[in-house]
Amino acid sequence: MLAMDVSVLASVGLAVGLSGNAIARDVSVRSLLGYSVLVLVLFWQFGVYAAGPRIHVLEEMRKVVAATGIAVAALVVLPVPAAFALTRHQSFGVWWFSTLLLLSFRALGVHWSLTRTRSLTAPTLIVGAGRVGRLLEKRISAQPALGLNLIGFLDDNPLIEGTGSSLPVLGGCADLDRVVAEYGVKHVIVTFSTASNQALLSAIRRCRSLDVSVSVVPRLYEIMTRDTSVVHLGGLPLVLIRPSKASGLWLPVKYGLDRLVAVVLLVASAPVFAALALSVWGSLGRPIFFRQLRVGRDGRVFEMLKFRTMRALEPAASVEALPPADGSPSADSERCTRVGGFLRRMSLDEFPQLINVLRGEMSLIGPRPERPELVSDFSGRIYRYNDRHRVKSGITGWTQIHGIGRGDNRFSDDALSDRVEWDNFYIENWSLWIDFKILLLTPAAVWRFRQRPSRSPATAEPLHAAEPPHAAEPLHPAAAMTSLTQVGIQQQC
């Protein structure tokens, strides 16, 4: 990447020099050289050249735009020697041209890197065959771009039997040398194990002597955010865990922006809103809205709005029937109108939730709300489920745009645990930038997941409900092992 950036910045200088524009011709070679050096230094400072695959293009784009903007501003504002300074007119041309080229070539570089990473995978071993080791296996398997080919576990007392793991346990910590030699292991990830600390330390030191890179999952990984840093007091490391921004003074800013954007969207899309309401009225009659109680921030219950998409259940029906075994249309699919089917596929039935945002009951971005009776059930059996109620529920969110918890098994413990993990990752690492990214990625996610999953019998509606809920809305991070301290892996969001 460094060589590519140097080439791109050199081509910027060549293009400016050959330009027929009078302002461009006045830009000195020293100014362009100073600008290029500043950009490269800022790239290094922002971690652009850090080890690990670059799998998040939007994050790369943000760093490129920030670095080029700061570099050009420095040459305009700061008291640099005249030979290196840029005028305001010159700075804009240099900035936009270099930024455009860097973004274009970096996007091509990321694509090439992903293709190359998928073909050049490093044999990887997990030390610790327990719950966290199994979770790590699941997360790495879902992200082939990491370039890690999992071959198995090492554990003297494995606990993964019956958890659905497809990886074998290849031995205990004493078998490290044999396994590394036999399978050509290049990377080892140490999770939780029943082995003693001394045994794990010996294994890590042995990996170093074998030239095998090592990553470690910290003991308190649940509370570590992306802003975590390490300071050393002599030989004793202290991990600094900064509080989440999704608290204190930042939340009112977020929720104030939510209401402002909701007002703008409702006003700007009033004709579309009216057309959708008329289409629902024409296909189903009144009422236009489907209303259902959901649980939001701090466990508060509110009435969430959607456009109706289905005909009401027959009065004699108490619960929904199981889907037919022969694959014929279910009762739910027969109840859904053609208009309703289109609204659901394109997530347009969620439109009225802008009213919930305006009322202060929901946010534009956050965890999806669930029904009170399901929350009561999930809270008792899903680890950290209630932690997701620290913020307002959202129309879209980090979990939804990545498609987590979709499918027929979305009420299983594994699927619910995934959703909780990603929701809590979003809350603990919240920033205005991550909200902006989610908004940018939502349209693509709607299109990608436009075919909604069939519902599980666990979501059966009571008699008064005119329509089934969307437990895992259609709207895939980096939350897996968010605090994975690593040598060869870099998780970004």
Side-chain angles (χ1 to χ4, degrees):
M1 283 293 185
L2 176 60
M4 182 189 70
D5 290 338
V6 171
S7 301
V8 171
L9 291 169
S11 67
V12 170
L14 181 62
V16 170
L18 296 177
S19 173
N21 185 278
I23 295 176
R25 284 198 305 269
D26 292 336
V27 179
S28 68
V29 174
R30 291 184 181 180
S31 297
L32 292 175
L33 180 61
Y35 170 74
S36 300
V37 170
L38 274 176
V39 168
L40 295 175
V41 169
L42 287 168
F43 279 177
W44 173 79
Q45 186 66 31
F46 291 165
V48 170
Y49 302 125
R54 322 311 301 175
I55 59 175
H56 296 282
V57 178
L58 280 179
E59 194 68 24
E60 292 291 303
M61 291 173 62
R62 180 177 71 92
K63 293 177 180 179
V64 168
V65 173
T68 55
I70 293 172
V72 79
L75 295 180
V76 173
V77 176
L78 296 181
V80 297
F84 293 95
L86 289 172
T87 67
R88 292 181 180 179
H89 296 293
Q90 294 168 345
S91 63
F92 179 75
V94 170
W95 174 78
W96 79 260
F97 187 59
S98 62
T99 301
L100 180 63
L101 283 182
L102 285 168
L103 289 176
S104 300
F105 278 88
R106 187 159 290 275
L108 293 174
V110 168
H111 177 73
W112 174 84
S113 177
L114 289 178
T115 304
R116 181 174 179 272
T117 300
R118 291 189 180 102
S119 62
L120 300 175
T121 55
T124 302
L125 184 67
I126 298 177
V127 176
R131 183 183 66 83
V132 176
R134 173 67 183 92
L135 179 61
L136 185 65
E137 174 198 355
K138 184 178 179 181
R139 293 292 175 261
I140 293 176
S141 298
Q143 298 194 54
L146 290 173
L148 300 178
N149 177 29
L150 295 176
I151 61 169
F153 294 94
L154 276 190
D155 202 325
D156 296 301
N157 185 23
L159 303 173
I160 61 172
E161 285 80 9
T163 62
S165 174
S166 60
L167 296 179
V169 178
L170 303 174
C173 289
D175 300 304
L176 178 65
D177 285 40
R178 174 186 62 81
V179 174
V180 169
E182 183 177 345
Y183 293 92
V185 173
K186 299 298 181 184
H187 191 77
V188 170
I189 305 176
V190 180
T191 67
F192 303 167
S193 171
T194 56
S196 66
N197 287 343
Q198 188 58 44
L200 294 177
L201 286 172
S202 297
I204 292 173
R205 292 189 180 109
R206 186 58 185 152
C207 286
R208 290 176 177 174
S209 65
L210 295 172
D211 197 25
V212 174
S213 59
V214 179
S215 301
V216 179
V217 179
R219 289 287 177 183
L220 303 178
Y221 70 88
E222 296 96 333
I223 60 173
M224 293 188 179
T225 68
R226 294 176 66 224
D227 291 332
T228 298
S229 58
V230 179
V231 297
H232 288 82
L233 300 178
L236 181 66
L238 291 181
V239 179
L240 301 180
I241 303 174
R242 297 176 177 85
S244 170
K245 293 180 181 178
S247 60
L249 296 176
W250 284 101
L251 278 184
V253 174
K254 170 181 168 66
Y255 297 150
L257 289 174
D258 282 337
R259 291 185 174 184
L260 178 62
V261 173
V263 168
V264 172
L265 289 177
L266 284 171
V267 172
S269 61
V272 176
F273 193 98
L276 295 177
L278 286 174
S279 66
V280 172
W281 179 73
S283 60
L284 289 170
R286 299 181 64 183
I288 302 297
F289 295 141
F290 168 65
R291 303 169 184 268
Q292 190 177 65
L293 296 181
R294 296 289 178 107
V295 177
R297 184 185 179 191
D298 297 331
R300 288 194 288 267
V301 177
F302 67 96
E303 191 176 65
M304 191 176 75
L305 302 176
K306 296 185 181 184
F307 281 127
R308 287 181 61 207
T309 59
M310 288 187 174
R311 301 178 184 90
L313 287 169
E314 294 294 331
S318 58
V319 295
E320 298 170 33
L322 291 170
D326 60 2
S328 57
S330 66
D332 279 354
S333 61
E334 292 174 356
R335 287 171 51 212
C336 188
T337 64
R338 296 182 66 178
V339 171
F342 172 76
L343 294 180
R344 289 170 65 85
R345 284 194 302 273
M346 303 309 297
S347 293
L348 293 173
D349 59 328
E350 314 282 354
F351 213 143
Q353 287 164 40
L354 289 173
I355 299 174
N356 290 118
V357 174
L358 199 56
R359 291 174 178 173
E361 299 164 337
M362 292 181 66
S363 171
L364 291 174
I365 300 165
R368 286 299 295 174
E370 195 51 87
R371 291 185 291 157
E373 61 271 23
L374 294 182
V375 168
S376 178
D377 177 30
F378 299 157
S379 299
R381 60 186 175 94
I382 303 300
Y383 179 56
R384 298 186 71 200
Y385 185 85
N386 276 333
D387 287 357
R388 66 197 295 273
H389 295 138
R390 289 174 286 171
V391 297
K392 290 181 182 179
S393 304
I395 299 177
T396 183
W398 188 245
T399 303
Q400 288 73 43
I401 64 170
H402 289 93
I404 299 300
R406 301 183 74 250
D408 293 333
N409 67 334
R410 62 190 178 279
F411 283 103
S412 68
D413 284 4
D414 281 349
L416 288 168
S417 295
D418 285 349
R419 287 168 54 194
V420 168
E421 179 188 332
W422 287 56
D423 285 340
N424 285 320
F425 170 84
Y426 163 77
I427 295 169
E428 289 156 2
N429 294 275
W430 175 82
S431 67
L432 291 176
W433 166 245
I434 197 173
D435 274 4
F436 181 65
K437 282 204 299 184
I438 291 171
L439 288 176
L440 287 180
L441 294 171
T442 293
V446 170
W447 180 256
R448 190 165 70 251
F449 303 124
R450 62 189 179 278
Q451 187 61 49
R452 289 196 177 175
S454 59
R455 289 187 305 126
S456 163
T459 66
E461 287 295 300
L463 283 174
H464 66 273
E467 175 164 347
H470 305 162
E473 267 63 16
L475 296 178
H476 192 73
M481 283 300 156
T482 60
S483 57
L484 187 59
T485 305
Q486 50 195 303
V487 175
I489 310 172
Q490 184 180 19
Q491 291 273 34
Q492 300 181 36
C493 85

